[in-house]
Amino acid sequence: MTSSELWTRATADRYDAEEAETSSPAFLGPTLTFLADLAGDGRALEFAIGTGRVGVPLREHGVPVAGIELSEHMTAVLRRKIDEDRLPVSIGDMATTVVPGQFTLVYLVYNTISNLLTQDEQVECFRNAARHLEPGGRFVIELGVPPLRFLPPGQVAVPFDVSERHLGFDTLDLVEQLLVSHHFTRDGDDGRYRHGSSRHRYAWPAELDLMARIAGLELERRVADWDGVPFTQDSMKHISVWRKPA
């Protein structure tokens, strides 16, 4: 097993409800179009497919999809939506698990490469993507830009959401390049909040490009969102596409 933290049954059972907005057709439309265009007439493999937030609608979009997922609880939620014959999922970590066949597209969305807490394992994730790609195939990652510009001297916490039902902030270890996301979520109307946290290893786009080169992949494109907005120094995240040479 890698350093990724294993998602529990309780987390898996409430995941779709908490991600209702990011699972809507309006929100996912650009994502599905972007990925389907890259997959073309081939197959797609999603690393850390989770409950199928992206993989299931991409399969319904006409792209054959397979997945790798570390948490059996997340996969169990996915299975309520689609059967194994239509969307096969292998239980294992995304850095080392190998599934049959080759793919025109491997993708890893929603900051999930940061779940691997060491640089070595993130490099292995790139190598695993390259291992599954056919010549000319692409590896896509969606990842936030580390929020270090928001840190004045002496501060270690950055808020990312302050709303009526949710308070979220990240604390950062600048030496180890680790980030902990803290969530305080109000479940009911009694004023009580549920606290949850998760650890992540943040990486800069240039660091990912070097990981790709180690894996034999070449940067093809980098944009700021799924609509293709140009990536700039002010972008909060990036969608990066690396290609396996033909």
Side-chain angles (χ1 to χ4, degrees), residues 2-35:
T2 69
S3 60
S4 292
E5 295 174 337
L6 191 61
W7 288 46
T8 65
R9 176 177 295 177
T11 302
D13 285 344
R14 61 175 175 258
Y15 183 84
D16 284 353
E18 293 182 344
E19 295 295 335
E21 181 179 351
T22 64
S23 303
S24 68
F27 185 94
L28 284 178
T31 306
L32 301 179
T33 298
F34 192 107
L35 295 175

Side-chain angles (χ1 to χ4, degrees), residues 2-4 47 93-97 106 108 112-132 139 141 143 177 201-217 242:
T2 69
S3 60
S4 292
F47 284 179
D93 70 82
M94 57 188 165
T96 62
T97 301
V106 178
L108 179 55
T112 312
I113 192 170
S114 69
N115 290 1
L116 297 168
L117 299 179
T118 71
Q119 186 184 68
D120 286 345
E121 289 173 349
Q122 291 179 351
V123 169
E124 289 306 313
C125 182
F126 272 83
R127 284 178 167 154
N128 201 29
R131 183 180 298 123
H132 286 92
F139 181 35
I141 282 181
L143 185 63
Q177 217 163 300
R201 182 185 186 272
Y202 64 81
W204 297 98
E207 185 181 4
L208 297 182
D209 290 342
L210 183 56
M211 294 180 188
R213 289 178 59 189
I214 291 171
L217 304 176
W242 297 274

Side-chain angles (χ1 to χ4, degrees), residues 56-135:
V56 171
L58 185 61
R59 178 66 182 85
E60 294 171 347
H61 204 71
V63 178
V65 177
I68 294 173
E69 173 55 44
L70 184 61
S71 170
E72 294 185 33
H73 301 302
M74 297 289 277
T75 305
V77 175
L78 180 149
R79 281 287 158 254
R80 302 171 192 166
K81 308 170 186 177
I82 192 168
D83 60 37
E84 176 75 15
D85 291 338
R86 294 185 61 212
L87 203 165
V89 175
S90 298
I91 303 298
D93 70 82
M94 57 188 165
T96 62
T97 301
V98 178
V99 303
Q102 287 192 310
F103 300 82
T104 57
L105 173 67
V106 178
Y107 65 95
L108 179 55
V109 298
Y110 219 32
N111 301 321
T112 312
I113 192 170
S114 69
N115 290 1
L116 297 168
L117 299 179
T118 71
Q119 186 184 68
D120 286 345
E121 289 173 349
Q122 291 179 351
V123 169
E124 289 306 313
C125 182
F126 272 83
R127 284 178 167 154
N128 201 29
R131 183 180 298 123
H132 286 92
L133 286 173
E134 63 182 44

